Amino acid sequence: MWIQKEIALSPKKRGFHLITDEVTAQLPELSKVSTGLAHLLILHTSASLTINENADPSVREDFERFFNRAVPEDEPYYTHIYEGSDDLPAHIKTALLGSSISLPITSGYFRLGTWQGIYLCEHRNRGGSRKLVITIQGAIENT
């Protein structure tokens, strides 16, 4: 069985945001998959996806501080500056973190570790709503 679906995430401020519950809420089909694989692709070049700590919010704050220091705004050698000082750094951060993740599905749930969650990494000051394409391949539960 294959399912492909596009979902929209609510707008988020710049930073690292847990979106596991928001994604799951828009995928009622997930509950029917006994064993499978989900691929999530963000349809934007200035936001990214990753998996990391889901319990302590200081991790997300530290991520934001690290990436802002590693890829600062307003560098004099940037030439892609038409959409604001946060635009090119957002593209670089996306290139570093990636635009997709793949997750196993077990018994109707994403098979994440105890302390893992899906992050939307919003690298723009005003990124707006972000869209994901989610492709699921798997076996349907026998009921």
Side-chain angles (χ1 to χ4, degrees):
M1 173 272 321
W2 286 85
I3 298 168
Q4 189 170 77
K5 186 174 188 179
E6 183 174 306
I7 67 168
L9 301 173
S10 62
K12 311 271 190 286
K13 66 180 183 174
R14 184 171 168 163
F16 290 75
H17 306 277
L18 274 172
I19 60 167
T20 311
D21 291 341
E22 187 175 0
V23 169
T24 303
Q26 295 188 59
L27 284 176
E29 305 88 344
L30 186 64
S31 66
K32 299 174 184 163
V33 180
S34 59
T35 304
L37 187 64
H39 181 264
L40 287 69
L41 171 71
I42 190 163
L43 298 176
H44 304 275
T45 60
S46 55
S48 52
L49 298 172
T50 195
I51 304 293
N52 218 291
E53 167 77 42
N54 71 355
D56 186 349
S58 69
V59 172
R60 296 185 299 276
E61 295 165 6
D62 289 343
F63 264 51
E64 178 66 10
R65 280 191 290 275
F66 170 82
F67 277 96
N68 288 337
R69 187 171 178 186
V71 187
E73 295 180 14
D74 298 316
E75 290 296 330
Y77 51 85
Y78 292 162
T79 58
H80 181 78
I81 57 172
Y82 309 113
E83 295 181 44
S85 62
D86 65 338
D87 190 38
L88 181 64
H91 294 312
I92 294 170
K93 293 170 187 177
T94 297
L96 293 171
L97 285 163
S99 57
S100 68
I101 57 174
S102 293
L103 299 169
I105 301 169
T106 304
S107 300
Y109 296 95
F110 292 132
R111 180 64 178 97
L112 293 164
T114 302
W115 306 111
Q116 290 180 318
I118 304 168
Y119 281 20
L120 167 67
C121 314
E122 177 55 69
H123 306 304
R124 296 295 309 266
N125 293 325
R126 289 171 291 284
S129 177
R130 299 300 192 169
K131 293 180 182 176
L132 303 180
V133 170
I134 302 169
T135 304
I136 295 174
Q137 174 188 12
I140 295 182
E141 284 188 7
N142 295 325
T143 54

